[in-house]
Structures are given as C-alpha cells and as structure tokens.
Amino acid sequence: MIMSLHLMPAYIIVIPIAFSIAAYLLPEACSKWVSALCQTLLSLAAFHYFAGIFDMDIHVITLGGWEDFAGITLRNDHISMGFAAMAIFLWWCVLIYAFFERLSKSYLFFLLFLEGTFMGLIMSNDLFNLFVFIEVVTILSTMLITYRGDGSSLRAGFYYLLFNNAGMLFYLIAFIILYQVCGTLNLQLMKEAVPAYMDEFSVKLAYVLITAAFGVKSAFFPVYNWLPKAHSAAPSAVSALLSGLLVKSGLYEFIRLNEVFHYASLDLFLAAVGAATAMLGVTFALCQKDIKLILAFHTVSQVGIMFMGIGPFRGFAYSGGMLHLVNHAMFKALLFLCAGMIVSDYKNRNVTQIRGVLFRFPLLSLFMIVGMLSITGMPSLNGYIGKHIIADSVKHIFWEKAVLVLVNIGTAASFIKISQIFTADYRNLRIPVKKLGPEYLPLFLLASSCALLAAYYRQLASWLFELPIPVFTPSDPIHMLEYGGILAAGYGVYHFFIKKDPPWVGRIRNTDISFENACVLLLGFVCIMSVIVMGL
C-alpha cells in the first residue's frame, strides 16, 4: 500500500500543471472540459493518497535517488492535508465561477498551473524547493492579477511582484545562513540540527529574516499595502483565491518554520503585530466605498486575528487561529465571488451607488448575507468559531481582548455599510430578476460550508489539524446576545461616524504607501524583531 502511495504527492503536483498545458494547447471549446477533468482526477488522487496516509504522523518521500540531506523531499501530515483539501475545494469553486466569467483558455492555464505549484509549496520539505515554488506562485499570481491588462491591474500586479520579491530576498539570505550552519536545507534534518545553534547570532538573524519574508506574503502590519491593491484589481475569481488561500501561504510556512525552531521572546511582539494588523485593516475597510477594497482590507484584518492566535503558538489560541484560517477561506471566497457578480452586472463598485441587489439577485443576496453574517461572527456560522476560541483564550489579557472586540465592532460596521446595496432602487423597479445559472453552484457550496464547518468544527480540528479544542455551544443564547451587542455597536459606529463620510474618513481612504516607503517599513520591521530576538 505504501509503495503505491510513494509517488502520489508528485502526481498531485504534476496533474494540474500537465492539464494546464493541455488546456492551453487544445481548442478553446475544450479548455473547460480539460479543467473539469483535471480537478476530478486531482480530487480522486488526493482522496486516495490522504486515505492511505491518514493514520501516519508524517509521510515523506525523496525524489531523484539522493540522500535526504541533499535531495528533493516532499512531506505530508495532517496540516498539509488540510491545506491541500481546502485548496482543491476552493479551486473547484473558482474554476466553475471562471466558466461564468467566460475568460480565455490562457486564464484557465494560469489557474491550473497555479494550483499545481501551490500544492508543491505546501508539500515541500526543504527550504530551496520551497523558495522555488513560492517564486513561481508569485509570478503566476502576478499574471492573473494583471490579466485584464488595464492600467490599474498592471500597477497593482507589478507592485505585488516587486514587493513580494523584496520580501523573498530576506528569505534567500536566511536559508543561505541556515545551510551554512546546519549543512542541509531539509526541514526535518534541520529540526534535529538547529537546537544546538539557537543562541548564535546567525541563526537568530535567519529566523527574523524568514519571519519577515512570510510576513510580507501574509500582509502583516506594516507590510500589508500590496494586498488591497492586488485584490481590488484582480478578476473576482482570482481575488477569491488570493484572499481565501494564497495569502495564507505565508502563515502556513510560518507554522512550518516554528516547527523547526521558535523564539519565545518574540511571542508578545508577534501578538502585537497581529493586533495592529487587525485594527489597521478594519479601520481602512470602514473608510472605503469600493466593495472589493472593503473586502480586501478585511482580509488584512482577518489575517491579523489569525496571527493573534497562531503567532505566539499558545494553547487553544493557536487552535482558534488555525480554525479561523480555514473558515475565513470559505466565507471570504464566497463574498468575493458574490461581489464579482454584482460588479459585473452593475458595472459599478461603489456601495453608496449600488441599489436593488436583493430584488435583482434574491438567491445571490441570500448567499452573500450568509458570508456577511459569518465574517461578522454570527454564532452557528463558521466565522464565529475561531474568533470565539481566540477571544476566550486571551480573556485575561485586557489589550488583546479589547482589540478583538473593537475589530468585531468595526467589521460589523463595514458590512452594515455594504448592506445598503440590498435596499430597493425605486427608480428602477422594473429591472428583471436575474435568472439562475451554473455560477450559483460555487456560491451554494461555499455558503453551505459556512454552516457545516460551524456544526462540525470539533471534527475539523481533530481530523485535519489534530488540535485540542475547548468545548462550547455556539448556539448558546449568551453568544447570540453578545453578537447582537456587536451589531448594535457596529450600527452606531457606522451611523454616527462613517455614514456622512466626514473629511477624516476621506483622508484615510486616500492614504497610500509608496513602494519605497513600504520597503523602509519592511526594514524597520526586521530591525525591531532583530533587537527583540538578539536581546540588545
């Protein structure tokens, strides 16, 4: 059985890449069927493989006949299986939606190729191949961001490419240092070798540089600025992938790094970085009018919440951060796909000008409301689970608890602002109701997942991540009262401070960070971490 599974990780990487080439070379009419066949084969291969290794703690294969310290190794455990399953599900949704967008076969080529390289990224077990996969993912993401070819998408794509590569320069320096110290780039072997060198300056510096590089990939404060630019300019299906999945690659690799070695002296700082990211993201989201920019800044905010749990690697808070990572992928992909359909129909992205969505798109409105309730933390939907676990874990740390409450209120205010798009447009009452089409299938799947992941969150934590989870009942009336209080406070913030669009809101909305200043902030981020870790 194990022999039959030996090369399966390589097949999971190669299948989407091979089919992407076929989709590009075959006639346009065949590309959709090639994509569907690809996803079907990939799903079957992944299911067969995951079922075969599920009872193992870890499954590692070495390619090329080399020794482990020098060869290409692929590693899978419950965390990587969870990410791979999430990726396959989201790619199914995005590909079905892409058929609705009627984009060319080159678009499907990039989507499928990106899926294969992402699978390689999450399975890589050595720092060099991880670097290669991250760079290829960055390039393919840039191609998808700039796909429309207009000025805004080109600017956003090149900003994304340049700044992410600036971050990866730190990663490159770090793995050169670690190779010099440990004599290998294999993460499993490095985990055995690096404890003897933890107090050395070079190893501490390498940890700081890699953390900064992954911070850029996940859009931590203060190096977040590429994310809203890229998400707002990209096609909606790409925005769903970027926000739901690809931005989490930095968090995933940060987790892998900290399995190898971890400096507890940075825990408080990383929690503060997560809190600052969450607050900054929700503040900018509140001040936007562009629906895609609002959603993009909320990705920054939600990543901050995840990092408040994952960054310090502490007990139940870590479990909550991991669950919120998965749950966010579902409701944020749902929101971006719904927003894409609205923008495509109305040819407008300003939430103060779009009206009548509930009448024109009743079913889409229902799905979008599910996503909005989930992100604002309604009990019995998945967005509540991770946030509640994190909040309960830090209830004795006043400033962290206060940040989470403020971010929840700001999130509620933002989506109360968006909800005005559902109100009736009395000037256009004769606009016909939009007919149902296949594009609603991914919305149904994502909306259903928001309910199912809330109902089975303990199984999710146990099966996919092997995490301890506190026992609580989401449907408890106390939780509903708390949620009602959050919504009331959010309405107050929107009605009294945001609705009339005062000048200070416009100033925040128009604030931008140039590439040069973003690089300075990145250097400052590295310097602060270095001072803390070095104990200077």
Side-chain angles (χ1 to χ4, degrees):
M1 178 65 172
I2 293 177
M3 289 298 294
S4 68
L5 298 174
H6 181 66
L7 291 178
M8 195 61 73
Y11 295 151
I12 292 173
I13 296 170
V14 169
I15 286 172
I17 294 175
F19 273 86
S20 71
I21 298 171
Y24 184 76
L25 295 177
L26 292 172
E28 192 88 33
C30 299
S31 59
K32 292 181 181 180
W33 298 107
V34 170
S35 302
L37 178 60
C38 169
Q39 283 302 107
T40 302
L41 290 177
L42 180 63
S43 301
L44 293 173
F47 179 81
H48 171 67
Y49 175 63
F50 294 161
I53 69 167
F54 191 81
D55 293 329
M56 302 181 189
D57 289 333
I58 185 173
H59 182 236
V60 180
I61 67 167
T62 303
L63 303 176
W66 297 88
E67 296 293 330
D68 286 352
F69 79 92
I72 297 174
T73 59
L74 301 176
R75 167 200 180 189
N76 280 295
D77 56 14
H78 281 250
I79 293 179
S80 65
M81 284 192 287
F83 268 82
M86 182 170 64
I88 292 171
F89 176 74
L90 284 181
W91 247 280
W92 263 117
C93 294
V94 164
L95 283 169
I96 295 170
Y97 186 89
F99 300 160
F100 155 71
E101 289 189 305
R102 296 186 180 88
L103 296 173
S104 69
K105 61 182 182 181
S106 61
Y107 181 77
L108 295 175
F109 163 77
F110 288 124
L111 276 181
L112 293 178
F113 206 114
L114 180 62
E115 184 177 20
T117 52
F118 183 81
M119 291 296 180
L121 186 154
I122 60 177
M123 294 183 188
S124 289
N125 192 43
D126 66 90
L127 291 179
F128 179 77
N129 290 299
L130 180 61
F131 172 77
V132 172
F133 279 118
I134 289 175
E135 287 295 277
V136 176
V137 165
T138 301
I139 293 169
L140 291 170
S141 299
T142 301
M143 300 301 292
L144 287 167
I145 291 167
T146 61
Y147 185 80
R148 298 196 188 280
D150 53 42
S152 62
S153 63
L154 290 172
R155 285 191 298 271
F158 283 114
Y159 189 104
Y160 167 84
L161 178 65
L162 290 173
F163 194 61
N164 275 268
N165 279 330
M168 290 311 293
L169 285 175
F170 291 124
Y171 177 92
L172 188 61
I173 295 168
F175 86 59
I176 291 172
I177 294 171
L178 290 173
Y179 181 73
Q180 184 178 18
V181 170
C182 300
T184 181
L185 294 175
N186 184 291
L187 290 173
Q188 293 299 107
L189 298 177
M190 193 179 293
K191 185 176 181 178
E192 299 171 4
V194 80
Y197 306 98
M198 288 284 285
D199 293 330
E200 291 195 5
F201 173 86
S202 58
V203 175
K204 290 180 177 180
L205 179 61
Y207 181 87
V208 167
L209 293 176
I210 294 181
T211 300
F214 293 152
V216 171
K217 298 299 294 183
S218 292
F220 297 164
F221 172 81
V223 289
Y224 67 92
N225 201 48
W226 65 265
L227 189 147
K229 293 177 184 288
H231 288 205
S232 63
S236 296
V238 178
S239 297
L241 274 182
L242 286 171
S243 182
L245 196 63
L246 296 179
V247 75
K248 316 289 175 49
S249 63
L251 283 171
Y252 175 81
E253 298 307 338
F254 177 79
I255 293 165
R256 290 304 195 197
L257 170 68
N258 282 271
E259 290 176 349
V260 176
F261 63 121
H262 173 72
Y263 288 98
S265 58
L266 271 176
D267 286 356
L268 179 60
F269 174 74
L270 293 178
V273 166
T277 304
M279 286 296 297
L280 187 80
V282 80
T283 300
F284 273 93
L286 269 170
C287 298
Q288 304 302 316
K289 293 183 178 180
D290 183 317
I291 188 170
K292 290 191 70 175
L293 272 177
I294 294 174
L295 296 178
F297 275 111
H298 273 297
T299 298
V300 176
S301 178
Q302 298 296 308
V303 165
I305 293 175
M306 294 170 214
F307 201 62
M308 288 178 71
I310 292 173
F313 281 83
R314 56 190 176 195
F316 287 146
Y318 174 79
S319 302
M322 289 295 290
L323 283 177
H324 196 55
L325 186 154
V326 176
N327 291 327
H328 174 266
M330 301 303 144
F331 62 68
K332 186 51 72 69
L334 172 63
L335 288 169
F336 264 115
L337 295 184
C338 289
M341 291 177 64
I342 293 168
V343 170
S344 176
D345 190 80
Y346 281 80
K347 304 296 187 290
N348 193 341
R349 292 161 53 154
N350 191 324
V351 296
T352 65
Q353 297 174 5
I354 299 172
R355 292 292 183 273
V357 173
L358 183 61
F359 175 76
R360 182 156 172 74
F361 295 95
L363 187 57
L364 181 145
S365 299
L366 173 63
F367 292 143
M368 189 166 186
I369 289 170
V370 169
M372 292 166 66
L373 292 174
S374 186
I375 194 173
T376 53
M378 179 181 176
S380 301
L381 288 175
N382 64 340
Y384 175 76
I385 304 299
K387 285 198 269 189
H388 171 77
I389 294 172
I390 296 171
D392 189 63
S393 301
V394 301
K395 61 186 176 184
H396 300 301
I397 307 174
F398 174 77
W399 69 269
E400 289 193 65
K401 179 71 172 179
V403 166
L404 289 170
V405 171
L406 291 173
V407 169
N408 286 339
I409 292 172
T411 303
S414 292
F415 284 91
I416 288 170
K417 180 178 184 177
I418 288 180
S419 66
Q420 63 189 301
I421 68 176
F422 299 120
T423 57
D425 183 359
Y426 295 104
R427 296 167 300 177
N428 297 288
L429 290 178
R430 294 186 179 180
I431 294 178
V433 175
K434 199 73 172 178
K435 294 181 179 179
L436 299 183
E439 66 273 12
Y440 282 87
L441 177 59
L443 306 185
F444 170 76
L445 293 173
L446 290 166
S448 299
S449 71
C450 290
L452 291 172
L453 291 178
Y456 297 100
Y457 72 93
R458 290 177 190 151
Q459 291 85 343
L460 174 69
S462 175
W463 295 343
L464 294 185
F465 299 120
E466 297 182 301
L467 294 173
I469 291 293
V471 177
F472 67 98
T473 306
S475 57
D476 191 312
I478 294 177
H479 300 320
M480 288 301 299
L481 286 174
E482 291 175 349
Y483 179 64
I486 292 291
L487 289 183
Y491 178 79
V493 169
Y494 170 67
H495 183 77
F496 292 108
F497 299 103
I498 305 297
K499 186 175 182 179
K500 295 181 180 179
D501 200 33
W504 63 269
V505 170
R507 286 194 292 271
I508 293 176
R509 181 166 57 244
N510 295 321
T511 299
D512 193 18
I513 300 176
S514 67
F515 177 76
E516 295 83 358
N517 290 334
C519 290
V520 171
L521 290 172
L522 176 58
L523 288 172
F525 185 58
V526 170
C527 290
I528 293 171
M529 280 197 296
S530 299
V531 169
I532 295 172
V533 171
M534 305 301 175
L536 301 178

